[in-house]
Amino acid sequence: MEDRVRIRSEEVLSDDWAVLKKTVLDYRRRDGQWETQVRQTYDRGDGAVILPYDPQRSTVLLVRQFRYPAYVTGHREPLIEACAGLLDENDPETAIRKEAEEELGYRLKDIERLFSPYMSPGSVTERLWFFVARYSPADRISAGGGAAEEGEDIEVLEMPLDEALAGIADGRIVDAKTIILIQHLKLNPVTA
């Protein structure tokens, strides 16, 4: 692709919680014609997400939290989600272990990396590293709930996997990363 993309200009539109850039580029189409495109990219860094599963009780750990972008577009309830966070300076596994301890209150041992897709590649640069892990009640080290100093107000939810799957069907679970992980777990069961 290097011979098909020529950057003409980049302009930082916002540099606050993340960086929003406007880029003007020339792109050579498959038919050989060059066209000028204007794109905006939103860069907040890469992240990681995990769905802990207890195969003995067939339960998963999720969180419920307020998400303003969902609220402002009409979703008036806090979102039910898989535990997730930004990588910051960490590798994906280290980052998700820290998030699980902070948000869920669980120290997870056996973490399995699944895949790392782009979640919204039309405008967001973020790749999200997906994980699953086995857990049991013995792995709990705190009440969880997130970091209050970061504005987190997180409710920890433990529910049967089948209830989580039903939550997708009835609209209680509308977060894409969570839907992907619940469906993955249902299609690829973790055994005891």
Side-chain angles (χ1 to χ4, degrees):
M1 290 295 298
E2 297 301 319
D3 63 336
R4 293 177 64 185
V5 177
R6 293 187 291 215
I7 306 299
R8 295 174 96 188
S9 66
E10 283 186 334
E11 175 187 0
V12 175
L13 301 176
S14 177
D15 188 356
D16 192 1
W17 189 60
V19 177
L20 178 63
K21 287 184 184 177
K22 177 181 177 181
T23 303
V24 178
L25 61 104
D26 291 328
Y27 173 73
R28 189 175 68 201
R29 300 167 49 89
R30 288 179 293 127
D31 64 9
Q33 298 295 314
W34 285 91
E35 69 181 16
T36 299
Q37 299 182 353
V38 179
R39 296 289 183 262
Q40 290 184 6
T41 54
Y42 188 70
D43 184 356
R44 60 185 214 106
D46 290 346
V49 60
I50 193 162
L51 184 63
Y53 176 68
D54 182 340
Q56 297 293 328
R57 298 177 302 135
S58 192
T59 56
V60 293
L61 291 174
L62 298 167
V63 298
R64 183 177 2 233
Q65 61 185 322
F66 173 70
R67 295 294 199 180
Y68 181 71
Y71 176 82
V72 76
T73 58
H75 191 83
R76 296 301 190 215
E77 297 297 320
L79 291 187
I80 297 173
E81 304 176 50
C83 171
L86 294 176
L87 300 186
D88 297 322
E89 73 283 348
N90 297 303
D91 65 89
E93 187 173 324
T94 300
I96 203 58
R97 285 181 184 281
K98 288 180 178 181
E99 288 295 324
E101 289 185 16
E102 184 179 284
E103 292 186 3
L104 298 171
Y106 281 78
R107 182 161 294 138
L108 301 173
K109 297 178 196 87
D110 300 320
I111 290 179
E112 178 187 349
R113 185 186 324 193
L114 301 175
F115 31 75
S116 55
Y118 290 95
M119 296 303 292
S120 187
S123 59
V124 179
T125 63
E126 177 186 42
R127 282 185 85 171
L128 195 55
W129 300 86
F130 281 69
F131 294 88
V132 291
R134 287 181 184 85
Y135 82 96
S136 74
D139 298 323
R140 188 157 204 174
I141 59 169
S142 75
E149 67 276 6
E150 294 176 15
E152 294 180 329
D153 180 27
I154 296 171
E155 177 185 358
V156 179
L157 303 174
E158 183 175 55
M159 68 174 62
L161 176 59
D162 287 338
E163 182 183 336
L165 196 61
I168 296 169
D170 67 23
R172 284 178 289 148
I173 297 177
V174 296
D175 174 66
K177 66 186 179 297
T178 306
I179 292 169
I180 291 168
L181 280 169
I182 291 168
Q183 290 179 340
H184 174 83
L185 191 56
K186 191 65 177 178
L187 292 170
N188 303 280
V190 174
T191 57

